[in-house]
Amino acid sequence: MTISSSVSSRSSRVIIRAPYELTRTITVKPREAGESALHFFRNRFPYLSEEKWLQRLESGWIRSNGLPVSAGTCLSAHQVLTHYSPAVSEPSVSGNITVVKETKNWLIVCKPAPLPMHQGGRYYKNTLAYLLKEMGYSDLNPVHRLDAVTSGLVLFAKNRKWAIQIRKEFDENRVEKWYHAIVEGEMTGNLAVDQPIRRRRGFVFECGNGLENAKPALTRFIPEKVLPGGKTLVRCIPETGRTHQIRLHLREAGFPVADDPIYGPKGDDSGQKLQNSAISLRSSGIVIKALRIKGVLPVTKGF
């Protein structure tokens, strides 16, 4: 059962689902080989405490080849686990999905926030992919992604041929993308941050030179308007596409996203805090000239 309700003065459509039964399949990555089952689940899915994962393991809800997995079981690379939940209760999400442009080969939508792109962690049905399927868009091919807490433009290919073409444009750095953020502080000049990024723990990432296994990342920032309260509307141009790149690089530059609960002025990057609310970061433009793909959102105060 899905309940859609309109709340707040902006009449946002909120998706609330009744609890449902679900069994998920999880594959152990090579870098996770050798971890105990308890350590694996606590690190991969930090939305539940170690105590809660221990309870699920002891209840026999987590299995491998049909047999219960104990907390101390040593996992191997590519091992397939199943995780049964008798009553999944997903967090509510925004359902204000808008189709921006559509052709027979591709689709651009405006994703609201908070809303994850695809299933994972606490989310399965309350995702952009699932909601688009409910809207009649089946078999879409995602070619890039946005964080759950980031709103804005998302491009999908409607068939495999176009998915390959679009991904090639991304791989060869021929896609123009820009974002807008409201940051803490008055940025008065253009900036560029060139700091590699790596996963630190769970859903938290870090940047900095000298970090082992970090991937190169470069973002350019152009201030567009100083806002009341000592904030700035900034155009963000990522030259690479790392997870949490813009958020991390803004913090590194001394101008964090004003309401970012993880990397913001009062953020908690310990890995214990859940990211379950929208932040002032939006994907505002995407252009692929070679394929005649273009989507642009107008910039208004507060987006």
Side-chain angles (χ1 to χ4, degrees):
M1 177 181 180
T2 304
I3 302 172
S4 300
S5 60
S6 295
V7 298
S8 85
S9 59
R10 300 174 72 179
S11 298
S12 298
R13 179 172 176 249
V14 176
I15 306 297
I16 304 172
R17 296 184 189 271
Y20 58 92
E21 187 177 29
L22 178 67
T23 298
R24 294 185 182 183
T25 300
I26 303 159
T27 303
V28 178
K29 298 176 181 178
R31 62 179 173 81
E32 297 165 324
E35 294 183 1
S36 69
L38 180 58
H39 187 264
F40 167 81
F41 279 97
R42 180 65 186 93
N43 283 343
R44 173 81 81 90
F45 307 107
Y47 64 90
L48 287 180
S49 67
E50 183 171 307
E51 180 182 5
K52 292 290 186 182
W53 282 118
L54 181 59
Q55 290 174 358
R56 294 185 177 218
L57 286 159
E58 291 178 342
S59 297
W61 292 356
I62 297 171
R63 295 175 173 255
S64 178
N65 293 321
L67 300 176
V69 174
S70 66
T73 298
C74 183
L75 303 180
S76 57
H78 309 298
Q79 185 174 352
V80 177
L81 307 170
T82 57
H83 173 213
Y84 167 75
S85 296
V88 173
S89 183
E90 295 191 45
S92 60
V93 295
S94 174
N96 292 339
I97 300 170
T98 304
V99 174
V100 176
K101 277 189 178 182
E102 180 177 7
T103 71
K104 65 179 182 179
N105 293 313
W106 51 266
L107 170 75
I108 297 178
V109 301
C110 182
K111 182 186 84 67
L115 179 66
M117 289 282 296
H118 45 71
Q119 71 176 74
R122 298 171 292 158
Y123 300 90
Y124 182 75
K125 294 183 178 181
N126 283 356
T127 63
L128 179 61
Y130 197 95
L131 293 178
L132 284 172
K133 187 175 181 179
E134 291 184 323
M135 292 169 59
Y137 292 99
S138 58
D139 300 323
L140 291 175
N141 295 270
V143 292
H144 69 125
R145 65 180 297 277
L146 293 182
D147 292 341
V149 297
T150 302
S151 60
L153 300 175
V154 180
L155 171 65
F156 291 90
K158 286 188 173 183
N159 54 64
R160 186 172 179 274
K161 177 182 176 181
W162 270 78
I164 293 172
Q165 288 182 293
I166 294 173
R167 286 173 185 148
K168 183 179 180 181
E169 296 298 305
F170 273 96
D171 291 342
E172 298 183 1
N173 201 29
R174 292 197 293 263
V175 179
E176 297 177 40
K177 291 189 299 177
W178 62 93
Y179 294 68
H180 279 91
I182 296 176
V183 305
E184 194 70 34
E186 297 186 3
M187 186 187 296
T188 57
N190 295 354
L191 296 173
V193 177
D194 185 0
Q195 294 278 354
I197 293 172
R198 70 177 183 184
R199 184 186 299 272
R200 192 173 81 185
R201 179 185 178 188
F203 301 112
V204 174
F205 290 73
E206 62 184 348
C207 69
N209 291 317
L211 294 177
E212 187 178 356
N213 299 321
K215 296 180 179 180
L218 170 63
T219 316
R220 305 187 188 280
F221 301 108
I222 304 171
E224 293 193 348
K225 185 178 181 180
V226 175
L227 304 173
K231 295 178 174 59
T232 308
L233 175 66
V234 178
R235 178 183 289 244
C236 313
I237 305 172
E239 301 292 347
T240 50
R242 311 302 179 200
T243 304
H244 295 182
Q245 175 175 321
I246 293 174
R247 298 162 67 185
L248 280 165
H249 281 180
L250 280 169
R251 183 176 73 170
E252 185 70 18
F255 299 95
V257 177
D259 51 5
D260 191 329
I262 307 300
Y263 310 109
K266 299 180 181 178
D268 177 4
D269 62 0
S270 66
Q272 304 301 311
K273 189 168 185 177
L274 297 178
Q275 303 181 64
N276 55 7
S277 59
I279 65 173
S280 298
L281 178 61
R282 188 189 72 172
S283 169
S284 299
I286 182 167
V287 177
I288 307 178
K289 292 181 180 178
L291 301 179
R292 297 183 180 180
I293 295 173
K294 182 177 182 179
V296 179
L297 294 177
V299 179
T300 59
K301 184 178 180 180
F303 303 158

